Each structure stands twice: as structure tokens, then as C-alpha cells.
Amino acid sequence: MDIKKYQDQVYPLIKELCKIPAPSHFEDERAKFCKEWFINAGFTSVYIDEAKNVVCEYNAKNSNELTVFAAHTDTVFPDTTPYPFKEEGNRAYCMGISDDTASVAVMMISAKYLLDNNLIPEKGMLFVCNSCEEGLGDLKGTRNLMKNYAGRIKRFISFDSSISAFYTECVGSHRYNVKVETTGGHSFSNFGRENAISNLANMISEIYKIEVPKIGDSHTTYNVGIVNGGTSVNTIAQSAEMLCEYRSDNVECLAIMQEKFQNIFKNAEKEDVKIIITKVGDRPCAKGVDPNKLDELLTTCKSVYEKIANVKIAYHSGSTDCNMPMSLGIPSVAVGVRTGGGVHTREEFLDIDSLPLGYELSINLMQQFLK
Ligand SMILES: [Zn+2]
């Protein structure tokens, strides 16, 4: 099979995609480009859904055993002007290029390969350029996909890693914006009134007294990431707020953390101290996944990688698009089709010479799920 002519199309497509900025929730332009690309490639059932996912159905009508291949279009960067792109030797530098723009291109051209070679999946496939994987995108894309295809997806494979790493364990998290409000006043004449900052500080020290639960080899963490508040040096602070989160790869530990945080929030309420909680993130843990079916999926993927790439695969836990299907019991894995570095920084880069191998991995992997 002549894969060279397809491999050669990957890098130019990456460059085109990189030009189109796509912060989480603002993937419109990139989605439009991908949709048109799929249609030009010859696919007939392609649409953009309510969450800005581009969904390309491939022999998927009436199937309840779909295999999904997904890669996310959004980047962590808020910029809405075209991202700068530069090439240096084997490296291409651009924001979001490794995470996850290159994977989007590899997936799209792999889909085209199947179509051109008349490789038709018996049970159907979805190729999805999904939205909102990053940060406060909060998995909106895969959440919506799971809703629209409820009960119809058999397995989910996300291209969102580097070549030698599989993400197999889901780290769930809850994230909150917590705001403290008081009457406040003048620091001298109203001395003694409740201060929003000191009340917030007390909550933070309570959080940092938490002993994280441990079940088996589970891993659970928490963090206060941002604080803001106050008016001036001689004002009793009227308001102060923080962004905080906890995470765990174990669904029970996540529930225990939820209770501990709720208690801290509740206990902070008192006369003239109002606590306003806004949940800004909710990434579920895995729940009810049949371990045999997951193992089957991982073994299939692993054998392709070991055969084609001759690499030893390391298993990791992380927060990826797989969290959504895994929370619904659908076997899922995030695999990699490129290498690079500097992910989530403005110095992010892609190893250009990793693309031919990544592409070969991708088309071989897809062909495991034709029957
Ligand atoms: Zn990613």
C-alpha cells in the first residue's frame, strides 16, 4: 500500500490548521475548516454539532457499535490572532502544535486513507475533531458527543499523547471559584468587622490541612491556584475569591474530597460572611468500565505500537477526553501519533520527523477496528 503520498500530506495540513487560532470555546473557524476538508476528501456525512465538534460519520448510520477516533481542536492559548509559526531544523514551533493540532491532522488524513482505499468499517466509525478538551473547556466537546451518540459507542480512541505514552487511567477533578463577601468598611473606624480576605485565608488553611484519601494505589491531590481580592490598604476587604480544585484517579476518593471541600465551604459561612460557590470544572473519573473490554482495547493498541514503532509503551493517568466515555463505562484510551515538547507553553514544538511514523501507527490502528 502506498502510504507515502498520504504521509506527505500531514505536515502541510498541520501548518494550515496552526494558522487558525482555536482557544477552548472559540473553535468555530478551525471547525469550519475541518468540516470542509472532510467534505472535500469525499465523506458525505459531516457536520458541526452544538459544542463545535466536527463529526465525520463513516458507515455509521444505524450502528450501535461505533468506534470513535478523536483529536481536539482547542488550544490552551486565549489568542485570537493567527499563531506565529517557525521552523528550525527538525522542529516546528507553534502554540498548540503538539497538543493537539498535529494529531488532528494525522487523524484526518488517516480517515481519508481508509476512504480512498475502500476500507469500510463494518460497525461504523466516527472521526471527531472535538472542542473544549483543555482547562475550563471542561470536556464540553466529548460530553456533547456522548450525549448525541448515547448507547451507540463501543470504544473511544483519542489521539492526544506522544508516541510512547498511553493514557489509560482517568484523573477526575472538580474545580471551583469561591467568593467571600462581607460588609467591609474603614480599616480604622470600622475595625473588628469581618474581612473577606482573612475569611478566605482561613478557608485556604483548612484546605491545606486535608489528608488526602488513599484507596489501593490511588492518587489524589488538591490545589488553590489563584486568589484575588480587597480594595485598598485601609479598607476592610469586602470581597475576595479563589480558584481551587481537587483531583483523583479514583471515583470514591473524588467523592470523599468533594465532601471535605463542601464542609469547608459550609463552615466558612457566618453572620456577615457570604460564601458564593461556582463550579467551573467537572471532569468525571472512570466508572463501570468492563476491565476485560478495556484490556482488550489496550492490548490491540499496544501490539500495533510495539510492532510498528518498536517502542515500550508507558501507561499514565491523566485528564483527557477519555474521561467522558470512561465515566459512562466505554473502554477508552489516549494514544500518541507524534513527539514534541514545550506543551502548554508559547515555545511548544513538534518533531517534524515523528510524523511519518505517527501516521503509520494511526492507519494501522484504525484498521484493527474495521471488523
Ligand atoms: Zn491535548
Side-chain angles (χ1 to χ4, degrees), residues 72 99 133-134 160:
H72 65 88
D99 180 18
E133 191 271 346
E134 300 287 4
D160 191 9

Side-chain angles (χ1 to χ4, degrees), residues 91-364:
R91 289 184 174 180
Y93 290 84
C94 184
M95 300 182 295
I97 191 166
S98 259
D99 180 18
D100 194 28
T101 308
S103 313
V104 173
V106 170
M107 185 200 54
M108 288 163 75
I109 291 172
S110 306
K112 182 170 160 56
Y113 177 88
L114 296 192
L115 183 70
D116 289 355
N117 289 283
N118 213 24
L119 297 163
I120 301 166
E122 258 174 42
K123 305 282 164 61
M125 282 180 183
L126 303 180
F127 304 111
V128 184
C129 307
N130 67 273
S131 66
C132 283
E133 191 271 346
E134 300 287 4
L136 296 181
D138 204 29
L139 309 180
K140 184 180 173 193
T142 34
R143 204 181 296 267
N144 196 60
L145 187 78
M146 292 304 131
K147 190 183 94 204
N148 287 351
Y149 288 88
R152 296 184 57 197
I153 295 171
K154 190 174 182 187
R155 56 178 81 85
F156 182 95
I157 297 162
S158 167
F159 289 173
D160 191 9
S161 178
S162 71
I163 282 175
S164 56
F166 284 6
Y167 283 82
T168 54
E169 301 271 343
C170 300
V171 177
S173 63
H174 295 157
R175 291 164 173 169
Y176 303 92
N177 183 280
V178 181
K179 190 168 186 190
V180 182
E181 282 181 353
T182 66
T183 306
H186 193 282
S187 62
F188 192 71
S189 50
N190 300 120
F191 182 67
R193 283 190 188 166
E194 291 290 348
N195 181 310
I197 292 175
S198 73
N199 276 275
L200 183 70
N202 285 340
M203 286 169 88
I204 294 171
S205 30
E206 287 306 311
I207 290 174
Y208 278 81
K209 283 182 204 154
I210 292 176
E211 278 192 40
V212 293
K214 182 113 185 137
I215 300 175
D217 58 358
S218 70
H219 190 53
T220 303
T221 64
Y222 57 81
N223 188 51
V224 176
I226 291 182
V227 292
N228 266 312
T231 307
S232 75
V233 70
N234 55 348
T235 303
I236 298 169
Q238 274 190 298
S239 85
E241 60 189 319
M242 65 169 161
L243 273 173
C244 59
E245 64 157 27
Y246 47 84
R247 303 178 172 220
S248 182
D249 52 13
N250 180 293
V251 70
E252 287 166 56
C253 292
L254 197 69
I256 293 168
M257 288 303 288
Q258 180 166 19
E259 208 191 311
K260 287 180 188 283
F261 265 65
Q262 296 300 347
N263 281 336
I264 291 171
F265 297 160
K266 211 166 66 212
N267 293 339
E269 291 266 4
K270 53 185 158 175
E271 211 188 318
D272 200 33
V273 178
K274 212 170 131 200
I275 311 289
I276 303 147
I277 313 289
T278 313
K279 201 178 209 184
V280 293
D282 183 355
R283 294 171 177 245
C285 287
K287 202 175 164 192
V289 181
D290 180 335
N292 295 325
K293 286 185 178 154
L294 180 61
D295 194 54
E296 201 182 306
L297 175 64
L298 296 180
T299 306
T300 305
C301 295
K302 199 164 149 250
S303 61
V304 169
Y305 273 71
E306 284 176 351
K307 194 173 120 215
I308 309 276
N310 194 25
V311 286
K312 192 115 195 73
I313 295 294
Y315 288 165
H316 294 280
S317 47
S319 175
T320 71
D321 279 316
C322 295
N323 285 44
M324 279 321 298
M326 289 281 268
S327 74
L328 299 165
I330 299 167
S332 310
V333 61
V335 303
V337 290
R338 49 83 189 152
T339 64
V343 161
H344 290 198
T345 73
R346 287 174 185 267
E347 289 74 43
E348 184 169 347
F349 66 89
L350 165 77
D351 296 322
I352 301 166
D353 67 4
S354 68
L355 294 173
L357 175 62
Y359 184 73
E360 214 182 322
L361 287 164
S362 169
I363 55 166
N364 275 281

